[in-house]
Each structure stands twice: as structure tokens, then as C-alpha cells.
Amino acid sequence: HVDKIFGEIDFVVIADEGVLCIEVKGGVVKRSGGKWHFINRYGKDSTKDEGPYAQAQGNEQSLRQYLVNRLKNKQDPICRCAYACCVMTPDCVIDVDNDIEIIPEITFDKRNTKDDLPKFFENSFKYWKGKTMEKRNFSGRHLQDEDKERLVNILRGDFAFVPAMSLALKRTDVMLASLTDEQYIIMQGFHSKRMLVSGPAGTGKTMLAMDQCRKLNAEGYKVLYLCYNKLIANYVRKNFELEKQNIEVSTLHSFLMKKTGENETADANFFTEVLPNKFIDGIDDYMPDDEKYDVLVIDEGQDLMNTVSVLCLEGMVKGGLSKGRWTIYYDKNQNIFGKYEELQDIYDELEDYGASCYELSVNCRNTKQIATGNWYTTNITQASIMKADGEVVGYHKYDSKNTEKNEVLKLIRRLLSEGISRNDIVILSPYRMDNENSCLYNASIPSDIGEIRLNEFNKLDSDEFIRFYTVKAFKGLEARVILYIDIEGFEEDDERLLNYVAMSRARTLLEVFYKADLEEERQRMMMNTYNL
């Protein structure tokens, strides 16, 4: 305010004519002994030295000065428009002649009705334009539509305060973290000799496998946690080491190389034939009875359910698969390395060994939005029950790899600005980052984004870099935020399986990048869901 610490304008009218400040005094208005009294409907008397007309003029001048200071340009159309003020006393009549403090031309009282308002506003502008013309030879300009809109935004612009993205994702994580009833049932069955536990992505299979290993190890059993994916093995091993759990963790191929003493060769069939067949041929020497395990806990079992791998497993557990103790956690929809028919035949045989079968149906990894987006994109069955709502899935179309790269970096910058940590963000692609088919191939990464590191297997909690993996390398793992880039198809079976695996890795936020000319494919996949 120009001459007080604080002032208040009851109403500001923004019109073509300019800016009109209105001072409203309800109830009784009177002046006594040089003091102004304003008595409301409850009889409360507010006494002031300054009358309503002086208040209106002081507030109008203060608003004008505020806008000059705010806009920093006296020639701005908002600063050069006409400014006026008026007084409204709807409960009483102001009828005093020749009073220096009262201006009848800008007074609206009990004698007036709402129909008089347009003319009254017009007269108020006319009165003050005349005064400014007398004193300054300037009456003020009209306001254009764009200037009126600008002024509205300055005085009372729209806004919305939303929780930081990082807080929203953390809250979603908390909702996803609690155990489900069906998980408790499976935990109670950990002492079953043989178990087959199936479930779509996100239903908690790895968590259950790890907990089963802990419980059986605590009871004195010699347990081997086995999987196909090196990243999963590293993750599980690290957690067990932090807990000081003496539980052996390995991928099948690492285990076989350790036992046979073989090193990886350039032979394309090394892992599928050469290595496992050598182990099978010498299985009695590599796995004597005293070295066999009491319990096998196999995670991501669909990747190991082929004939040659099953023959290897047969010799690793006491009593073999038909009489020994084992649990296999699997999702047939993630069988991106093998054949579905062979997988089903093996599971049928394992069931014949008297395995207890459990099925998980509650998705405790992905939000409802992520799981639904996965279903629309892949037409692959998801868990039937979702535990938590979350952020919508982001879909980003690109016309060129350079455009995709810029959009990916722009999104990362936004996520970081909203409090998301670098170690929460994982980029997945069908291609390695050093493959020219990836949009990040030979990309220059801005310093504010930091390093994007390919296939980091150790420092998973470091906030110094963002991790990048191929979809196959990250299978079985998860991250709070997944950016799935370089998608080149939606309809072929191998594309659907790869997209299913990639999208189901996201816990709370999923952003998908695909070529613009694939939009019709994506729309067809969405429409297919209504026919399934």
C-alpha cells in the first residue's frame, strides 16, 4: 500500500475501459466527531479515521503502483490503462450535499439495483478519466483482450499444488510392500517337499523364494537358490550377504562352469549344449552325494524348464526331482528364452512327482495403471488383483532416434527435478546402449543428468548414475521408475513377450517410447483386449 502497511480491495473489475477498484461497506455507515463508523448486521462498530472514498482511492493507487513494480515497465498497456474506484453501500443511502469526503458520482447505495451496475461502472470510469485529464492531460487507454487475460493471471492466476513425484511414488511403494493373504498361505507351505508356484509378473515370486531360503537355512537345511539371470543372482546374493545369511546363490550356468571347470567359449551352443552336456556326462563326479543339496529353490523357473537343464537339476538335489525337495517359481508368460510346448510338458511331469501347486493372483509390484497398460499393450494376462493405484503410464511417440533421445533426456531431467533419485531410474531397451539401434548410442549425456551406465551389476543403490540394461538382462528384477525405449513392434509374439517383461519391471512409474508409425499397431492391440 502506498501509505499503509496493509490495504484490502473488496473487488477488482477488469473491463475494456480499464481497472475498477470497488470498496463495499455493508450495514450502517456514519461519520461522527470526525470518525467514520461502520456497523455490521450484528451491531459490531468498526471505527476508522479514513472514510470509504479515501480507502478506495488509496487502494486504487496502491494497485497501480504494485503493477508498475511487478511489470517493471510504466509503458506496459496494463500500467497505461484507465484506473478508477467507487464505493458501494447496499444497506444504506448516502445522501449528503457538498461533503469533501463524499463523491456522489462514484456512489452506489440502497437506491440502486443490479440493473444500474453497468451504467454505474461506466460513470465511475468517466468521472476518474475526467479528473486525470484535468490534472495530467491523460485519461488512460482501453485494455485489449490479451492484456486483460494477463492482468487476471497476475492478480489471481490459476495454480495447483501437487505432491512431489518422489513422495507420490514412495507412498505407492508403501501400499505395494505389504504381504498378501495368498503369500502367507504359500509361506505356510514352505515345508512341503515339492512345490510349483506360478504367477504373473509382480506377484512376489522372488520375494517368496528368498524368504523360503531364509527359513529352510535357519532350520539347518543346505539350500541352493538357483536362477537363470545374472542380475537377479547378484541382487539376491547381495541381500543375503547383508543379512549374513549362509545361503548359496548362483545362476545355473555359473554353477555348471564352477563344477566342470569350463570357461565360456565363442561356441554359440556353449550354454545350451556343450556346458550342460559335460555336466550331465560327469554328474556323479561333479555332484557326489555328500555335495548334493537338501533343497533347491528355483526362481524364474520358466527360463530353466528345458530338457537339458532339468537333467542338470536332477543331479543337484538329494533324491532327484522325483523324490527330492524343491520349489520352482515361474511365470509362463516370461518364457522368452525357450519353447512353450516344452515348458508345459516339463511342468506336467513335475506335477506327476506330487508337487503342491499354488497360483499367485495379486500384483504387489505394479500399480493398477502399469498392469493395465501392460495388458492393453501385450494382450498377455496379468494378475487379477491390483493392490495400488499410481501414476498414469506415459506413452511417447518419436519420428527419429534423435527425437527419441532428446525426449528421453528431457524426461529424465524432469524426474530428477521432481525429487526422483538416479538409482530409482532404470532404462530398458531391446538393445544395448552401445548398439547403434539404441537412441542413446554414442549420445552425449548432459552433466546435469549425469552418467548413464550400462549393465551395472554391483552398485545398485548408487545415486551417482542411471542404470541401463537390455530387457533380457533385467528380467526378474524391478525398479521404481522404468523408461522403456526403442520399442519397434507390438504385434509379433516375440515383441509381445519382450514388451510384457519390460513393462512389468516398473513398480510405480512407467514411461514407454515407440516409433510413431507403430501407433496403429498399438491401437489394434488395445482393441484386441475387448475381444479376449
Side-chain angles (χ1 to χ4, degrees), residues 32 238 394 446:
S32 176
K238 179 180 178 182

Side-chain angles (χ1 to χ4, degrees), residues 22-75:
I22 304 175
E23 181 68 25
V24 179
K25 295 298 181 185
V28 176
V29 177
K30 69 177 185 177
R31 189 180 63 203
S32 176
K35 301 284 187 181
W36 284 87
H37 297 264
F38 308 104
I39 305 171
N40 67 19
R41 70 185 68 180
Y42 304 109
K44 183 179 178 180
D45 187 345
S46 176
T47 304
K48 298 181 183 293
D49 293 327
E50 186 179 51
Y53 298 88
Q55 288 181 44
Q57 293 175 73
N59 289 337
E60 175 218 307
Q61 294 301 317
S62 297
L63 176 60
R64 186 202 300 260
Q65 188 60 50
Y66 167 78
L67 292 170
V68 169
N69 295 338
R70 173 78 178 266
L71 295 168
K72 296 180 171 56
N73 179 11
K74 289 184 178 181
Q75 301 306 313

Side-chain angles (χ1 to χ4, degrees), residues 84-110:
C85 63
C86 62
V87 173
M88 302 181 74
T89 59
D91 298 326
C92 63
V93 174
I94 304 295
D95 188 11
V96 179
D97 294 327
N98 300 319
D99 191 291
I100 194 171
E101 290 192 81
I102 295 175
I103 307 173
E105 293 88 343
I106 64 166
T107 303
F108 182 102
D109 61 22
K110 190 175 181 180

Side-chain angles (χ1 to χ4, degrees), residues 202 235 365 426 467 474 476-480 482 504-507:
Y235 169 80
R365 175 197 294 153
V426 166
R467 292 172 289 151
F474 202 67
L477 293 174
E478 61 185 46
R480 180 175 285 173
I482 291 290
S504 61
R505 301 307 96 199
R507 287 207 309 272

